[in-house]
Amino acid sequence: MSSPGARGRPLSPNIQIYRPQLTSVLSIANRITGVILSAFAVLMVVWLIAAASGPQPFSTVQRSIGSLFGQILMLGFTFSFFMHLCGGIRHLIWDTGHGFELRSIYASGWAVVVASILLTALTWGVSIWMGVG
Amino acid sequence: MMGKEKRLPLIIDSSDQLPSATILKRFPLPRNFGVAPDSRIEEGQVWKAPAGASRTKAFTIYRYDPDSGDNPTLDIFEVDLDDCGPMVLGALIWIKNKVDPTLTFRRSCREGVCGSCAMNIDGTNWLACTREIAETDEAGRIYPLSNMRIVKDLVPDLTHVFAQYAAMEPWLHSKTPAPENERLQSPEERSELDGYYECILCFCCTSGCPSHWWNGDRFLGPAALLQAYRWLADTRDEATGQRLDDLEDPFRLYRCHTILNCTRTCPKGGTPARRSPRSRK
Amino acid sequence: MRKVPTPTPLNHALALGSSRKGAGEWWAERLSAIALIPLTIWFAASVIALTGSDHAAFVAWLKTPFATICMILLLIALFHHTALGLQVIIEDYVHSGAKFAAIIATRLGCFALAVAGIVATLRIPFAG
Ligand code: SF4
Ligand code: SF4
Ligand code: FES
């Protein structure tokens, strides 16, 4: 640029100072959960291959999923899944051109957060109950 | 924190509403995270309030002097609240008149019409003339608009964003010969422009758009896209096909990820984001 | 960033002009997303129903034509969506020459995983 002196114009800070808001935080969350789900998609293929290879490999995979570490991963997966699902539905609604008033943006945003937590809890409730029963 | 609204605390109704509960004032990143050496912000000086000032408030303000060759700094100014106007712009003018005449910022109308005093106040972009000092944090934080090349202090170089605006050819394109009188619209047709015609080109939105931060070279940004839509929605404009073709690009238009920081920040209550899905049809 | 100095700011903003594409990928991402809503819910429900069951039960489930078909559709939609989504993320954040390498790797990886998943799924009813 043409400013005097050897240095160029500095760039003002962006993410370092911009306030996190429901808008940007949920957007980033949708991305992060998407990346997490990609990793689980790989695991899903591993799981299918194990199943196709026979009872032995399959039970090895099942046992690692059943371990404490595996269960923590699955909890993260469940939450990511519902977050991405609900966030994705929110995006699809926007794509139809609806829900762009700030009030709707915030209402749907919090709805996504609450729904993700509830659905995760529900899923785990049911699966624990199934495991017991 | 602020008690005046009767609204639901977590739902933001309009962009002038401040967050009622603050979990994080900024993302947990080091202040100079990923910043080029030239742009790193250093500690600045403290400017004390004049002796005898009884009601004072501190502001942390981004400073950059192109003539010094030094990096930007954060200066702290103590403002005498009994001696200045109620708005943040008033505090800046007070500093310039009473403390440091070199403090540089743009302003003109001081009533939210011209868009020149847009800056980042307490982490969000807003017009300094329409944000009350009373609404700012203790040690209010004032930065220039985010992600802009800085000319001096709070004055950003808007050349590129204005060029992106100009690239939208924001004027009526018509092949029909001009009629004797005005080109008429029905009230319904006119109402299609509500939320789009009000833009004052303050660039609060584009500067607050994370997608524009990362790809501002090629992504047009909300302000320019809002203009694009404003002309697409205008029944008198005859270049709709051309305009749509010119938008269709993975970067120009489709870098908008509906983050919606733009709508959250628009001081004119516009909905810059809304045009994208419609433009996609 | 700029390699050749461009004469005017408008010139810089216009750059090489519009590529006149992008709508196709945008639609593909939405379509795969819509397909994934029922498919992933079916998958999640099935996995919960299979909690604690053994290999035989699993094979019996995946052997049904309905489950086989759904699983294959799921794999196709899932990896299509994953490839598109990851590509957008890479385009957003990677601005070096690594960008194209990363995009190619993602696409090939997703393709390979989808094929592997489909083959594994098909082996269960046909070879199992
Ligand atoms: S909705 Fe689009 S234009 Fe607005 S902040 Fe988000 S990415 Fe930027
Ligand atoms: S759309 Fe709103 S925030 Fe963006 S430039 Fe116009 S007035 Fe400013
Ligand atoms: S001075 Fe004109 S908008 Fe603030």
Side-chain angles (χ1 to χ4, degrees):
Chain A
M1 302 249 148
S2 57
S3 46
R7 71 183 337 283
R9 284 180 176 156
L11 190 70
S12 55
N14 45 54
I15 188 149
Q16 302 83 7
I17 60 129
Y18 212 91
R19 189 181 206 126
Q21 308 176 113
L22 190 63
T23 49
S24 50
V25 170
L26 283 185
S27 169
I28 271 291
N30 213 45
R31 273 210 165 169
I32 295 173
T33 52
V35 172
I36 293 174
L37 292 174
S38 313
F40 276 97
V42 177
L43 282 186
M44 178 180 146
V45 171
V46 171
W47 187 62
L48 285 172
I49 293 174
S53 314
Q56 212 50 48
F58 183 73
S59 66
T60 313
V61 172
Q62 288 293 74
R63 234 177 302 115
S64 35
I65 294 175
S67 70
L68 181 65
F69 182 65
Q71 290 291 294
I72 292 172
L73 278 185
M74 290 315 281
L75 181 65
F77 162 72
T78 324
F79 183 72
S80 303
F81 169 67
F82 284 120
M83 186 103 202
H84 201 78
L85 178 72
C86 299
I89 292 173
R90 184 170 176 240
H91 271 274
L92 288 171
I93 294 170
W94 280 334
D95 292 338
T96 67
H98 296 284
F100 282 109
E101 300 73 32
L102 257 183
R103 203 190 157 73
S104 327
I105 293 172
Y106 270 79
S108 61
W110 287 116
V112 165
V113 175
V114 172
S116 314
I117 295 172
L118 287 182
L119 286 168
T120 308
L122 183 76
T123 309
W124 280 74
V126 171
S127 92
I128 289 170
W129 176 74
M130 299 261 318
V132 173
Chain B
M1 223 164 78
M2 58 224 55
K4 71 176 184 185
E5 73 269 9
K6 301 165 278 310
R7 303 140 154 171
L8 272 168
L10 292 177
I11 305 279
I12 304 288
D13 264 319
S14 73
S15 57
D16 64 354
Q17 189 183 341
L18 292 163
S20 55
T22 299
I23 303 165
L24 279 178
K25 298 212 179 208
R26 52 188 203 90
F27 283 101
L29 292 170
R31 202 166 290 273
N32 282 320
F33 176 81
V35 176
D38 266 9
S39 304
R40 295 209 176 115
I41 305 172
E42 290 159 7
E43 298 251 314
Q45 54 186 89
V46 179
W47 307 71
K48 288 272 167 213
S54 57
R55 260 182 355 114
T56 66
K57 176 187 168 76
F59 280 99
T60 310
I61 302 183
Y62 178 99
R63 305 296 308 271
Y64 168 67
D65 176 7
D67 299 324
S68 70
D70 295 336
N71 269 29
T73 57
L74 284 183
D75 282 7
I76 296 171
F77 289 92
E78 286 176 14
V79 172
D80 181 358
L81 294 180
D82 293 320
D83 194 28
C84 75
M87 298 300 184
V88 171
L89 183 62
L92 293 175
I93 293 173
W94 181 86
I95 294 171
K96 191 171 178 70
N97 288 341
K98 302 283 173 81
V99 182
D100 179 6
T102 68
L103 179 68
T104 309
F105 50 90
R106 290 194 180 107
R107 93 276 176 277
S108 175
C109 70
R110 57 105 187 91
E111 56 186 10
V113 175
C114 71
S116 40
C117 65
M119 51 189 72
N120 189 289
I121 303 170
D122 287 343
T124 54
N125 294 339
W126 199 254
L127 305 171
C129 64
T130 61
R131 172 71 85 233
E132 285 177 40
I133 296 176
E135 290 178 327
T136 56
D137 289 346
E138 182 42 45
R141 283 158 294 134
I142 303 181
Y143 286 85
L145 284 181
S146 302
N147 201 54
M148 297 278 174
R149 292 285 160 195
I150 298 307
V151 179
K152 188 174 183 187
D153 294 346
L154 301 174
V155 176
D157 178 358
L158 298 174
T159 311
H160 177 59
V161 284
F162 267 111
Q164 292 187 310
Y165 166 64
M168 295 301 96
E169 308 194 347
W171 57 84
L172 186 79
H173 288 226
S174 174
K175 293 214 165 83
T176 310
E180 286 283 308
N181 304 315
E182 300 90 338
R183 295 169 203 263
L184 295 178
Q185 278 193 306
S186 69
E188 294 74 45
E189 289 171 340
R190 167 58 191 75
S191 71
E192 285 294 306
L193 306 182
D194 286 349
Y196 306 105
Y197 78 91
E198 299 93 331
C199 173
I200 54 173
L201 293 174
C202 62
F203 294 106
C204 278
C205 54
T206 297
S207 149
C209 166
S211 216
H212 200 265
W213 296 346
W214 317 136
N215 288 292
D217 257 25
R218 295 169 69 193
F219 172 50
L220 290 166
L225 288 175
L226 177 111
Q227 285 301 320
Y229 184 74
R230 185 246 169 276
W231 291 102
L232 289 171
D234 194 313
T235 49
R236 297 160 298 182
D237 190 89
E238 291 166 358
T240 308
Q242 178 70 34
R243 290 183 190 277
L244 283 175
D245 284 351
D246 283 342
L247 281 178
E248 199 197 338
D249 181 280
F251 278 87
R252 284 186 156 195
L253 168 63
Y254 290 106
R255 268 316 105 173
C256 170
H257 303 315
T258 347
I259 302 169
L260 295 172
N261 267 8
C262 51
T263 305
R264 176 71 182 91
T265 200
C266 176
K268 303 307 280 185
T271 43
R274 191 132 167 242
R275 69 296 159 307
S276 353
R278 299 197 171 182
S279 315
R280 279 166 180 144
K281 301 289 157 66
Chain C
M1 268 280 149
R2 276 185 271 170
K3 291 178 192 80
V4 192
T6 42
T8 64
L10 182 59
N11 202 320
H12 184 212
L14 290 170
L16 297 174
S18 158
S19 67
R20 314 224 155 166
K21 63 177 181 59
E25 283 176 0
W26 188 85
W27 273 108
E29 195 169 5
R30 313 297 125 163
L31 282 178
S32 55
I34 293 169
L36 281 171
I37 297 174
L39 289 170
T40 51
I41 291 176
W42 162 80
F43 179 73
S46 311
V47 171
I48 295 171
L50 284 168
T51 308
S53 52
D54 59 1
H55 185 250
F58 179 86
V59 167
W61 163 70
L62 197 55
K63 245 183 154 141
T64 60
F66 179 75
T68 311
I69 291 167
C70 283
M71 182 60 85
I72 291 172
L73 290 176
L74 172 64
L75 287 163
I76 295 171
L78 179 64
F79 282 106
H80 192 45
H81 190 78
T82 304
L84 290 169
L86 289 178
Q87 174 171 349
V88 169
I89 295 178
I90 294 166
E91 285 172 346
D92 270 0
Y93 303 132
V94 184
H95 294 104
S96 61
K99 175 168 131 177
F100 293 103
I103 292 174
I104 291 167
T106 317
R107 289 218 167 170
L108 291 179
C110 285
F111 185 71
L113 283 164
V115 170
I118 292 170
V119 170
T121 307
L122 287 175
R123 277 201 36 170
I124 288 174
F126 293 115

